[in-house]
Amino acid sequence: MTEATKKQKIVIDPVTRIEGHLRVEIEVDEHNTVTEAWASGQLFRGIETILKGRDPRDTGLIAQRICGVCTNSHYRASISAVENAYDIVPPRNAEIVRNLISLALFVQDHLVHYYHLHSLDYVDVTSALEADCHKASEIAHQWHKHPYNCSQGDLAAVQEKLANFVNAGRLGLFANGYWGHAQYKLSPEENLIHMNHYLEALRIQREVSKAIAIFGGKTPHPQNLVVGGVTSVMDMLNPQRLNDYLFIIKDMQEFLKRAYLPDMKMVVAAYGDNIKAGEGRGHGNFMCSGGYQLSDDEPLFASGIIWGHDFSKTEPFDDTQITEEASRSWYADEAPTSPYDETTEPDYTDMNADGTLKTEGKYSWIKAPRYQGQPMEVGPAARMIIGYVKNAKAVRPYMQHFMDETGLELMDFSSAIGRNAARAVEAEVVCDLIFAFVSELIENIKYYDETTWTKYDFEALPLETKGRAVLEVPRGMLSHFIRIQEAKVKNYQAVVPTTWNASPKDGQGVRGPYEEAIVGLKLADPQQPLEVLRAVHSFDPCLACAVHVIDAQGHTLSEHRVNPIATC
């Protein structure tokens, strides 16, 4: 048997419990260790093309359709890019209202990601049926003095609900999991506590949507942002609307502190060996653009760059160092290019005859963003690590407290579970600081500062200009670049968090963060590559999702087949 035939290729398509369509192919050796990986976005995003020729003031409403989840993030980035191009500065009240929506989205996103999209990589639903509810309640009290809805009766009710699912022979959304996999480590009681909070998180995230809609008009796809400010003036001035918003945020804060954080500490304790082994660790290049200025001029997030896990120093972030290339992506322009000058011309070169990705050619609809020519990891782990290293007032105390309680070190956050831990810490940081922004808004109104829009004369603005917005959003750093000519959009590019993390290899053959995090993993069972899903899910993948193609006559346009094993 040759070396080549000892390796087998595993295809995971689609990767489920994410937003959008992601395909991952891995190559494993005879010891079931991953030796190479390819991450492929399977959807083409054409919003940039649609935006060409449009009035710049309309870009926000169109650009938010890039996604069905991060709608406000793209909406705000697009509006801010146009404001940057025209040098329009929105009033402080508008900035605060925008922050109240964005930060509520942060916490909602983190809740949904952990409980509903990722926790079942660590929580065995079927095991919870065997739990002793009295013992489970006692365990919950070990992680918090007042655990969220964890009385013996609460837990028994959840267990009965789960049993009804199983006894009815329809696991529904819990079907197709790798239940019973050898790598699940939580006890039946710990699994039951998690499932209790899984169900409760469904209610919490729904309520947070209402909070977002108080200022955004609706969600997803809010309507309140305009170039120069916001339109939700009466909502901002109505005490009842502010109270409604605060009531929901307070409810969410209770859940974070009494359920989410204790559950995360429980997972960190159970999977400590996986963390210390560095499972899911990437290149160690972290990037954060910073932002969300507090009233004392301190930013919530500190900006900076960390290279190769060197936590002794950070470099300043400079957005002019961002390029994208498509040497391994299905686009025509291959060389590294500034987003201002990129094109979005498709160049699809298909797959291999056996249906696998072309490992030596183009293999993804995702481009390869690079900072100073290097792949970068963005997201909560990057923000919390950089904030800690830079001694950010809003971040370091929370990180230090979590590290003291769990025994984690900074390096440990650069792992699959570590990214989740960083996300939980960030949820607490963000939720607590929402109240500071509300207080500032109320203070402004009290002193008759009710301005929410900066007036401008569009006809007097430059006909040719360019601008960009670089923001931190739940999944990581988001940037929109716009070039304007004859008062119309000449070129537009969005470099999104998942583009950074799900990047394919570049022209130098350097892997993207997903791929780097997967290589080196040892699979307990190649038929059930749970370890790969843990690494990929830890980044909170969110691929373009808002464009869905249907045939009005009901004809099938395409079919997707899950084929976990293909041997080469």
Side-chain angles (χ1 to χ4, degrees):
M1 183 179 290
T2 66
E3 188 64 28
T5 57
K6 292 177 183 175
K7 294 183 177 180
Q8 61 175 320
K9 179 169 284 187
I10 298 174
V11 180
I12 307 173
D13 183 19
V15 175
T16 57
R17 296 205 302 271
I18 67 168
E19 191 63 43
H21 195 138
L22 174 69
R23 177 189 181 104
V24 170
E25 294 188 5
I26 58 174
E27 198 171 67
V28 299
D29 64 14
E30 68 273 26
H31 304 295
N32 293 337
T33 299
V34 180
T35 56
E36 192 50 272
W38 297 266
S40 172
Q42 295 284 296
L43 290 173
F44 170 69
R45 185 186 72 209
I47 294 290
E48 287 98 333
T49 304
I50 294 171
L51 283 167
K52 287 185 178 180
R54 302 277 183 167
D55 187 316
R57 293 167 294 181
D58 293 339
T59 61
L61 289 172
I62 300 170
Q64 66 171 279
R65 261 62 186 182
I66 286 174
C67 186
V69 176
C70 324
T71 55
N72 175 69
S73 300
H74 290 291
Y75 188 17
R76 182 174 183 174
S78 184
I79 292 289
S80 298
V82 175
E83 289 171 344
N84 178 257
Y86 289 129
D87 200 22
I88 297 170
V89 179
R92 178 61 182 165
N93 286 341
E95 197 68 22
I96 293 173
V97 170
R98 292 178 181 186
N99 288 347
L100 295 182
I101 296 175
S102 298
L103 296 179
L105 185 65
F106 262 80
V107 189
Q108 184 199 41
D109 182 273
H110 290 355
L111 276 188
V112 171
H113 169 257
Y114 178 64
Y115 282 103
H116 306 134
L117 301 180
H118 190 24
S119 68
L120 299 186
D121 292 340
Y122 299 99
V123 177
D124 189 333
V125 178
T126 56
S127 165
L129 299 176
E130 304 165 7
D132 178 326
C133 294
H134 174 71
K135 185 179 174 184
S137 182
E138 289 184 342
I139 291 173
H141 282 80
Q142 292 172 12
W143 294 99
H144 195 281
K145 282 197 296 187
H146 305 289
Y148 203 94
N149 288 0
C150 277
S151 70
Q152 186 175 342
D154 291 329
L155 294 167
V158 171
Q159 195 175 42
E160 182 181 356
K161 186 177 294 186
L162 293 175
N164 288 338
F165 262 114
V166 175
N167 294 335
R170 48 179 177 83
L171 277 173
L173 73 166
F174 301 131
N176 299 322
Y178 295 150
W179 314 130
H181 194 285
Q183 290 302 304
Y184 281 116
K185 295 184 177 179
L186 294 176
S187 69
E189 287 73 25
E190 291 169 330
N191 283 315
L192 180 60
I193 294 167
H194 265 79
M195 289 311 301
N196 176 25
H197 293 154
Y198 176 108
L199 297 174
E200 186 62 21
L202 289 169
R203 181 189 70 80
I204 298 288
Q205 65 92 17
R206 184 190 66 216
E207 292 301 308
V208 180
S209 291
K210 295 178 183 175
I212 294 170
I214 284 175
F215 296 111
K218 67 186 188 72
T219 190
H221 305 303
Q223 305 287 306
N224 72 318
L225 306 187
V226 291
V227 174
V230 299
T231 61
S232 42
V233 184
M234 297 311 295
D235 299 300
M236 182 190 83
L237 297 176
N238 186 334
Q240 184 60 51
R241 301 288 276 173
L242 286 174
N243 280 339
D244 290 345
Y245 178 88
L246 284 172
F247 182 83
I248 294 171
I249 300 300
K250 182 66 179 172
D251 186 24
M252 178 170 64
Q253 188 183 46
E254 284 291 307
F255 184 82
L256 291 180
K257 293 181 184 293
R258 295 168 52 202
Y260 188 12
L261 280 162
D263 286 353
M264 187 53 59
K265 291 171 186 172
M266 191 189 302
V267 167
V268 167
Y271 290 89
D273 292 344
N274 302 68
I275 297 173
K276 294 299 180 184
E279 290 183 4
R281 185 167 292 159
H283 297 283
N285 300 336
F286 298 102
M287 178 167 67
C288 178
S289 62
Y292 298 92
Q293 212 73 20
L294 297 161
S295 59
D296 59 2
D297 288 336
E298 285 278 338
L300 192 165
F301 299 124
S303 69
I305 301 290
I306 286 178
W307 297 107
H309 292 117
D310 182 357
F311 303 126
S312 67
K313 60 186 177 184
T314 61
E315 291 183 7
F317 169 73
D318 175 5
D319 62 66
T320 66
Q321 300 299 313
I322 296 173
T323 58
E324 282 200 301
E325 64 164 274
S327 58
R328 309 297 301 275
S329 310
W330 288 313
Y331 297 93
D333 280 352
E334 296 190 350
T337 309
S338 164
Y340 281 121
D341 303 316
E342 282 182 72
T343 67
T344 313
E345 185 180 342
D347 181 23
Y348 184 64
T349 53
D350 211 346
M351 315 237 287
N352 292 319
D354 65 357
T356 58
L357 299 171
K358 290 185 175 178
T359 54
E360 300 301 322
K362 295 174 181 286
Y363 63 92
S364 178
W365 281 114
I366 298 174
K367 294 181 181 178
R370 294 293 185 264
Y371 183 88
Q372 293 184 3
Q374 298 298 316
M376 306 299 292
E377 181 176 332
V378 299
R383 287 190 288 257
M384 293 299 100
I385 290 172
I386 290 170
Y388 183 89
V389 171
K390 295 192 72 172
N391 202 24
K393 188 172 69 175
V395 170
R396 181 153 180 141
Y398 290 86
M399 280 287 284
Q400 191 63 62
H401 182 69
F402 191 88
M403 293 163 72
D404 290 343
E405 288 208 330
T406 58
L408 291 188
E409 301 173 281
L410 214 50
M411 175 63 97
D412 297 328
F413 290 92
S414 181
S415 65
I417 298 172
R419 290 185 193 96
N420 285 287
R423 190 171 285 112
V425 175
E426 180 175 275
E428 185 183 24
V429 172
V430 167
C431 191
D432 285 357
L433 288 177
I434 286 176
F435 294 95
F437 283 109
V438 173
S439 296
E440 186 187 352
L441 180 63
I442 293 172
E443 195 71 9
N444 290 348
I445 295 169
K446 188 166 73 176
Y447 290 100
Y448 308 106
D449 175 8
E450 299 179 358
T451 310
T452 56
W453 186 63
T454 298
K455 189 175 182 180
Y456 61 90
D457 179 1
F458 186 69
E459 302 302 323
L461 294 174
L463 294 178
E464 294 191 21
T465 183
K466 66 178 183 179
R468 86 287 181 269
V470 186
L471 308 172
E472 287 297 330
V473 300
R475 291 177 171 83
M477 196 186 81
L478 169 67
S479 48
H480 281 217
F481 297 81
I482 185 171
R483 187 179 286 280
I484 298 168
Q485 188 176 71
E486 297 298 322
K488 302 290 184 185
V489 178
K490 181 175 186 297
N491 198 20
Y492 200 99
Q493 290 294 330
V495 186
V496 309
T498 295
T499 320
W500 285 101
N501 291 333
S503 155
K505 297 172 181 61
D506 57 26
Q508 305 302 312
V510 179
R511 303 182 188 104
Y514 286 6
E515 296 172 338
E516 185 67 18
I518 294 169
V519 170
L521 291 174
K522 186 172 177 59
L523 308 184
D525 178 4
Q527 298 284 339
Q528 296 185 330
L530 179 62
E531 298 84 350
V532 176
L533 293 180
R534 286 176 175 174
V536 173
H537 283 156
S538 70
F539 288 92
D540 191 4
C542 186
L543 289 85
C545 62
V547 178
H548 299 280
V549 180
I550 62 171
D551 185 289
Q553 304 303 316
H555 298 133
T556 300
L557 297 176
S558 66
E559 293 183 356
H560 301 292
R561 181 168 55 89
V562 179
N563 181 15
I565 298 293
T567 304
C568 65

